[in-house]
Amino acid sequence: MKKTFIMWLLVGWTSVSFAQTVTIIDQQSEKPLEGVVLISESPQASTITNAKGQADITAFKEAEKIQIRSQGYKTAVLSYSQIQSVDFRIGMESSILNLDEVVVSATRWRQTSSNVPSKIISISPKEVALQNPQTAADLLGASGKVFIQKSQQGGGSPMIRGFATNRLLYTVDGVRMNTAIFRAGNIQNVINLDPFATENTEVLFGPGSVIYGSDAIGGVMSFQTLTPQLSLSDKPLVTGKAVTRYSSANNEKTGHFDVNVGWKKWAFVTSFSSWDFDHLRQGSNGPDDYIKNIYPQRQDSMDVVITQDDPLLQIPSAYSQINLMQKVRFKPNEKWDFQYGFHYSETSSYGRYDRHNRFRNGTIRYAEWDYGPQIWMMNNLNITHSGNNAVYDQMSLRLAQQSFEESRIDRSLKSDERNTQTENIEAYSANLDFNKRIGSKNTLYYGLEYVFNDVASKGMLTDISTGVGQVGPSRYPNSTWSSIAAYVNNEFRVSNQFTMQAGLRYNQFNLDADFSNNLNFYPFPFTNAEINNGALTGSIGGVYRPTEKWAIRANFGTAFRSPNVDDIGKVFDSEPGAVTVPNPDLEAEYAYNFDLGISKVFGDAVKVDITGYYTILQNALVRRNFQLNGQDSILYDGEMSQVQAIQNAAIANVYGVQAGIEVKLSAGFMFLTDLNYQIGEEELDDGTTSASRHAAPFFGVSRLRYKYNDLTLEFNAMYQGERSFDDLATEEQGKDEIYAKDANGNNYTPAWYTLNLKAMYQLTDNFSVSGGVDNLTDQRYRPYSSGLSGAGRNFVISLHANF
């Protein structure tokens, strides 16, 4: 096998390539279109255009149907001979009313969404450039289909269809980002991703466990970073961009640079980004409950409380971040493609603003409550082979190593003892994926996956007056978590109008936890815990296309989440007066979901897309009252606290509707809106029900957009409905630090809206400017469950240079 592999490489080096290049342009402006996807089912092939609008379509010879797709343009379907007849130059007509697009997240392979029964959206680089999101969390939120919660400026926790955190899955270049310490509380890991270095973002709504395994209950967020582009001529291909941006609400200073250098067989892409954010200013019109006009400061070895000059500043919320990416690509011939990627992201320390809003004895509780630098590094090798043999048409092997570091630092006001808890995770994964076309009606997707996480957790107590430190309680036990799985998914084309997909996956997961690092601090009745269990999941669905202008999708799928280290072994203060302790007796939770979607284009002017869904979560892992050594309360952080633990103790139901409307108006105007309504219910210990914490209130966005030649303007409104005290989750009702007060003095989330103006103008072929004004009316608002208010009136300006 080794000799055969080396022979293939040598053939790749010595063979003469007769590549055929196609150029795709905008029909009106005649400018080249980057990122256009060409896909063929027979032969099985796909490619994407580079910055010059060019792609090598040698592998498409003899193809009778080549689909040519790009967001914002009408899909073209041509044969290879037809492309040849127009001298391999194709003009695409702009359109916003397509029902189909090319997606990857459904099966890990490029396919048209007309064959996928699940709802999937894509967020293009053009949309990102117009919206100017500061972080990857903001990028998702700008879609209007994903709700974003923030506990601090350095964060952003997506909520999808009533699920969040460790019931959603993140992938980067096809690699699982979720680790064994992804918690049920809000997480911040998505900010490690760089919007400037992201080639495409997809969100799959609903279960994705057949392809992705544990955690993919509410949805999958798939981020594809920049792919090194090869030259299709004898000259090197050198492209890139530089971006700089300023925002007034947090004095943002951002810079980005990336460059691609490609030859026929080798290509390199380098990307670097830097962000610096000051404390975030909230708006002047809204609830006074959101204003905290004091903050702690250390002066002359004493904690003092400072009154702010500007009460609208949210102190502390400032932070900074850098991201670096380096990719190398080697494509010796048409059959083999090797890509290596290195990713590095590091934030500064940043304050958790909601914890700084907690009060005790008439003053702020904490002198310090910060997240330490959040560090993520990934090495990823992706090998793709087009075999067209008896076993597979295409094969992909992904090998990845990731390192994560995060920490929490807290100190009570006027206390000299600082508590620091640090977690380091080494994550290793291997994915082997195949696709095989069987006859003219079946396409088989199948593969294997192995994931291993090594979790090291430590605690340190430091006397800041002397600098002397000693070992303190850690947040987690030192642990390992692993998963091995096999899956198969079949796409069956019943007819030209009807396609079905069905799949199965079996997952075996194992967790070993050693609690000896905390036995000196907590009286646990155990020293070790082990979980070794399996999960079988499946899905079946179909897409019916009576005509090209409407589609009906239905899908039934199951998903699971295996207990992780955060579930089984964490000690933390979940809310004032409560402490969560380890529970080694946990099992996987299962979700059963059905969704039905209808999309229709009326004439050439209106597109409507509506999806309804219902999800049942059984054996749900939830926080409930517990006993430790027969005691229901223990002394924790200086106060008597109710003992709680994660338990398989509930059934949860989530149901809702997602709706989108796009209207093409006259004279270059268009109207777009996305609406999301969801209800979540969770069973309590006494048999009653409570609202689900992660089911956001009604939210959405409406946009009026104008495009003329090189100018794009957008006026939009983003909004959220009210969540009354009675409709808050029981565990949320006591969180005074994040909610406003109603007329009865109870916590609730008020409804809010912001009006925003966006603009983008292409100055020359190489330079463009974008910007706008967010929150025109300077509203003081706080998204549901967030501990940080959104930005007040915010002026944004960004300059782009492309070469």
Side-chain angles (χ1 to χ4, degrees), residues 216-490:
I217 291 177
V220 177
M221 290 159 284
S222 175
F223 298 86
Q224 175 62 48
T225 61
L226 298 174
T227 300
Q229 298 178 355
L230 298 165
S231 174
L232 301 176
S233 67
D234 293 331
K235 295 181 179 180
L237 174 68
V238 181
T239 61
K241 67 177 180 290
V243 182
T244 183
R245 185 174 62 216
Y246 174 80
S247 301
S248 63
N250 54 4
N251 198 28
E252 176 200 10
K253 296 178 285 292
T254 289
H256 166 80
F257 176 80
D258 67 69
V259 61
N260 180 99
V261 181
W263 293 268
K264 286 189 174 182
K265 297 182 185 295
W266 289 89
F268 303 83
V269 62
T270 302
S271 171
F272 177 79
S273 298
S274 173
W275 298 264
D276 184 79
F277 305 105
D278 206 340
H279 303 299
L280 181 65
R281 180 192 177 276
Q282 59 186 325
S284 57
N285 303 307
D288 291 338
D289 303 295
Y290 294 155
I291 295 177
K292 176 183 71 71
N293 63 350
I294 56 175
Y295 65 94
Q297 192 176 88
R298 191 75 171 172
Q299 295 181 0
D300 299 325
S301 301
M302 295 285 291
D303 290 331
V304 295
V305 177
I306 305 296
T307 300
Q308 298 174 198
D309 294 330
D310 183 353
L312 298 181
L313 282 179
Q314 299 176 92
I315 302 175
S317 59
Y319 85 105
S320 60
Q321 180 175 334
I322 60 167
N323 273 57
L324 172 67
M325 184 185 76
Q326 177 64 59
K327 282 190 171 184
V328 180
R329 183 180 184 185
F330 172 54
K331 190 174 183 180
N333 52 46
E334 288 303 314
K335 292 187 176 295
W336 288 96
D337 195 345
F338 299 80
Q339 294 189 41
Y340 164 76
F342 171 78
H343 302 259
Y344 183 83
S345 173
E346 181 174 353
T347 72
S348 64
S349 297
Y350 49 90
R352 179 166 169 176
Y353 187 73
D354 62 340
R355 293 299 174 96
H356 282 273
N357 275 350
R358 287 188 176 178
F359 282 69
R360 185 168 63 180
N361 299 328
T363 188
I364 50 179
R365 176 174 178 176
Y366 292 106
E368 303 175 36
W369 213 117
D370 301 333
Y371 285 114
Q374 181 172 288
I375 300 173
W376 170 63
M377 182 184 74
M378 180 170 77
N379 292 279
N380 174 28
L381 176 64
N382 185 14
I383 303 172
T384 303
H385 179 243
S386 297
N388 296 319
N389 53 45
V391 179
Y392 61 86
D393 292 331
Q394 293 174 301
M395 178 274 294
S396 173
L397 174 64
R398 289 182 180 87
L399 304 174
Q401 176 271 330
Q402 299 179 80
S403 297
F404 299 82
E405 180 177 315
E406 55 187 62
S407 57
R408 293 159 180 79
I409 305 158
D410 67 85
R411 183 174 62 84
S412 296
L413 191 71
K414 298 185 179 178
S415 170
D416 288 336
E417 185 178 79
R418 175 187 291 140
N419 177 34
T420 304
Q421 294 177 317
T422 304
E423 283 74 55
N424 293 93
I425 303 96
E426 294 297 321
Y428 306 89
S429 61
N431 291 85
L432 186 60
D433 300 294
F434 304 91
N435 69 46
K436 176 63 181 175
R437 187 172 175 84
I438 303 172
S440 61
K441 293 182 177 293
N442 283 282
T443 303
L444 200 64
Y445 304 94
Y446 62 100
L448 303 169
E449 180 184 68
Y450 177 73
V451 180
F452 179 83
N453 282 195
D454 187 358
V455 178
S457 183
K458 62 183 180 181
M460 178 67 67
L461 298 174
T462 305
D463 187 327
I464 63 171
S465 65
T466 64
V468 176
Q470 60 180 344
V471 175
S474 64
R475 182 175 173 86
Y476 298 112
N478 292 322
S479 312
T480 60
W481 182 91
S482 62
S483 166
I484 187 167
Y487 77 90
V488 60
N489 191 69
N490 185 57

Side-chain angles (χ1 to χ4, degrees), residues 358-360 365-366 573 575-579 633-642:
R358 287 188 176 178
F359 282 69
R360 185 168 63 180
R365 176 174 178 176
Y366 292 106
D573 56 329
E575 56 186 282
V579 58
S633 297
I634 61 173
L635 190 67
Y636 182 81
D637 198 20
E639 66 177 284
M640 208 64 182
S641 300
Q642 169 70 52

